[in-house]
Amino acid sequence: MAATFSASIAPWEQTLAQLAHQTKLDDLAAFAAVTLLSIAYGTKGILWSKPDPYRHKLFARPQQQPGAEARAQQTRDLAELLEQNSADVAILWASQSGTAERMASRLATELARHLGVRALLLDISDVDPATCAKVPESKLAIFMASTFGEGDPSDNLHEFWEWLHHASSTSLSGLRYLAFGLGNSNYKHYNLVIDSLADRLDAHGAKTLMPTGRADDAAGETEEHFLEWKEQVLALFQSRLGYQRREVSYEPSLQIVEDESLEPIDLHHGVPRDQSAGKATSTQSRVYALPVVQTRELFKDTNDRNCIHMELDLGEHAELKYKTGDHLGIWPINPTVEVERLLRVLGLQQRRAMPSHVKSTDNKPVKVPSPTTLDALFEHYLEICAPVSREAVALIAGFAPTEDAKAFLTKISRNKEAYAEYLGSGYVNLGRLLERACEGEAAWSALPLPLVVETLPAMQPRYYSISSSSVVQARRVAITAVVADTSLSASERVPGLATNYLLALRESSAQPALAHPYGLTYSLSVPHQPLQTSHVHAHVRKSTFKLPAVASTSIVMVGAGTGVAPFRAFVQERALLKTMGRDVGQTKLFFGCRNPEQDFIYADEFTKWQSQLGDSFSMTTALSRPHGDEKKRYVQDCIVEDAEAVCNLLIEENAYFYICGSAAMARGVSDAVAKILMSRQGWSETEMKEFMDRQKRQKRWMQDVWG
């Protein structure tokens, strides 16, 4: 019996042994294959598939500045950068719109020109924050930073900001520094960034050599405050650092060299620099030429005010996307009348289309693309409509064609009050200033062109809250813009640069075409022009101003004027979700305008969405200029009147709270909400602040405001 059983299992044992042997062979084969693949992957580019060292030339941009690749690969060690450039001072700028960067560049120029200081100008994001500890005490760091939004650092400051607030063990006892901030006192957290940066530097042991300077743009005095602080810096270098001040004549930092050999294809004709450099960051897209597919006037029965609704098509650019709540950056161009004025008074009409290289003479980055033409510079790349600083007026006075012109310019450049009075008396830009000082074609032909380019700021985009939902219309983006003109008198006005450009685009696309109400025209279609008629250069900038991830979460929105733009998108999106059967939370909107007959924008659309959302949507309108006996109210008044509902939403339902509009309005709304919450919850000011700070950290209290 046992023999029979043994005989019956023998074949099974043999089969199992064969399977085990085969498995070992398979394992060895697999191991060998993995090993070979690993060796092959590790030797890619060394033993095989060696890269072509010249392949990058296939993608090289002919407009790329020489040495840009080398600059991109330079060290981020601040001490090494100072040593490599034989510099005594590092000027580190943190800027959102470019103002701090421009002022940092001017400071570097002034230090070199008047004191012989070797100053190294640096984007603060190009520096490893920890290496500040290695800077010797014989050197000096100057930090120039802007505050935007509600106390937010600029995008290029984030790495340095995080390091300062979390590198608790690092000592900066050897670092000497100066600090200057740009802000707006209409905002609750005026110049918070530079104050916090200086506090953290001090906490790490750094030593400041003079009090922190602050510029306040609330009254348009950023330039004056910078000039005052700059003089204090120059005096410090003389009194404490042993430098001797010298009076010097103008020395150009640029060369403009004409080159007739260049073809139109070689030139920059107006494409914004961000796009020509292929620049795209984690916070913004590249710049694209987008067709205007729809425009309409939103104000009713007004002859002196315009509000534009404009929609741009993204369909030609599959990679360009936006999300509800993002911003759109519009790159404006200068009006033709101002371009012609400047060319005429400088005597440059015959050279306007001449191809030219713009080169730096002091190794600083050039703020405009090169090569290009004067037409492109004055239309697209320089803000020729910007006011001229007193500092620039003083330089221009040295080239005045007559004694009377020199006396006039010298007077307003040396006296702050005289300059302010002149600015307040009329619309002043460089072309108009030169005409006022000395009229006549080519009257200022002796004024160096490099000085003109140095004086004018580089063109910057203007940002608008997107007023459409990416869920509802993913390939079409909408913006809402009031034409922003500043009235100086009954007959004199300063036209808003970007909004009048948008108005001209709206008029040009109308059928039949309409005339611009102020007679402004723009070169919307000329030879080699990068824009077709009814196209605009624009890019998307990401924002944290977002709807809750869950649609059933309640929200409270407060906006005045065009501050309602992102809330149009929010309500549009929630109305669609509701029609799809989704559960939508309470959606409460407070909207401020003058009166419903004139500027209650999007009234018909909100009425339609009210019918779709039903009881989940409520809208309260505050009228600042009502008709008849109706009481004047602002949005903060409406919040106080509806205190019970607002408190219930914010406390009981933990609703998201949004404010969009002017900084002054936002401050009033925040104070009103704080007042009613403290009263109803019995909170102290400390408890109220803790609540608001917690909500902001959790992204449940968000503001999108401007000065």
Side-chain angles (χ1 to χ4, degrees), residues 547-558:
L547 279 167
V550 180
S552 59
T553 304
S554 296
I555 61 174
V556 179
M557 303 164 287
V558 186

Side-chain angles (χ1 to χ4, degrees), residues 224-382:
E224 288 298 333
H225 292 164
F226 169 70
L227 292 179
E228 293 170 5
W229 176 78
K230 186 198 73 175
E231 285 303 316
Q232 294 171 12
V233 172
L234 295 178
L236 172 77
F237 272 79
Q238 292 174 265
S239 63
R240 293 189 57 181
L241 303 181
Y243 287 87
Q244 295 296 316
R245 186 161 184 169
R246 59 194 183 193
E247 294 301 324
V248 295
S249 59
Y250 168 68
E251 297 175 2
S253 62
L254 295 172
Q255 276 186 318
I256 301 177
V257 182
E258 295 181 349
D259 186 350
E260 295 185 25
S261 68
L262 294 171
E263 298 293 331
I265 195 172
D266 300 322
L267 306 177
H268 294 270
H269 294 286
V271 177
R273 185 162 196 163
D274 280 2
Q275 183 176 4
S276 66
K279 180 180 178 182
T281 69
S282 59
T283 59
Q284 70 180 49
S285 72
R286 291 180 60 211
V287 183
Y288 297 88
L290 302 178
V292 178
V293 291
Q294 184 189 113
T295 63
R296 67 179 189 269
E297 175 63 48
L298 295 178
F299 285 168
K300 302 174 182 177
D301 300 325
T302 58
N303 297 321
D304 59 341
R305 300 173 68 221
N306 295 91
C307 185
I308 304 162
H309 174 88
M310 179 173 287
E311 299 193 9
L312 308 173
D313 183 21
L314 311 183
E316 298 175 5
H317 310 285
E319 69 280 13
L320 180 59
K321 299 178 175 64
Y322 78 98
K323 296 293 184 183
T324 306
D326 283 345
H327 299 131
L328 193 71
I330 298 291
W331 292 82
I333 63 177
N334 293 305
T336 303
V337 63
E338 299 302 334
V339 175
E340 297 298 332
R341 184 193 310 277
L342 188 55
L343 287 169
R344 182 175 61 252
V345 76
L346 293 173
L348 296 173
Q349 298 99 318
Q350 303 304 315
R351 296 166 53 192
R352 64 191 301 163
M354 179 66 69
S356 301
H357 296 280
V358 184
K359 302 177 181 179
S360 172
T361 61
D362 55 10
N363 295 321
K364 291 188 185 132
V366 179
K367 64 184 176 183
V368 295
S370 176
T372 186
T373 64
L374 291 181
D375 260 337
L377 282 176
F378 289 169
E379 284 183 7
H380 297 274
Y381 294 130
L382 295 171

Side-chain angles (χ1 to χ4, degrees), residues 145 336 494 608:
T336 303
V494 178
K608 179 186 71 174

Side-chain angles (χ1 to χ4, degrees), residues 458-480:
M459 184 68 76
Q460 298 293 327
R462 272 58 172 177
Y463 288 98
Y464 299 90
S465 298
I466 292 176
S467 53
S468 57
S469 163
S470 58
V471 172
V472 178
Q473 48 186 73
R475 306 310 300 157
R476 182 181 286 198
V477 61
I479 57 172
T480 309

Side-chain angles (χ1 to χ4, degrees), residues 398-435:
F399 298 92
T402 67
E403 287 301 317
D404 287 345
K406 184 175 183 178
F408 165 69
L409 295 175
T410 300
K411 176 184 175 181
I412 64 173
S413 68
R414 288 182 177 175
N415 187 288
K416 176 181 176 180
E417 288 70 28
Y419 177 73
E421 182 181 352
Y422 178 65
L423 284 185
S425 66
Y427 174 25
V428 180
N429 56 36
L430 181 58
R432 290 169 179 257
L433 177 70
L434 296 179
E435 279 188 341

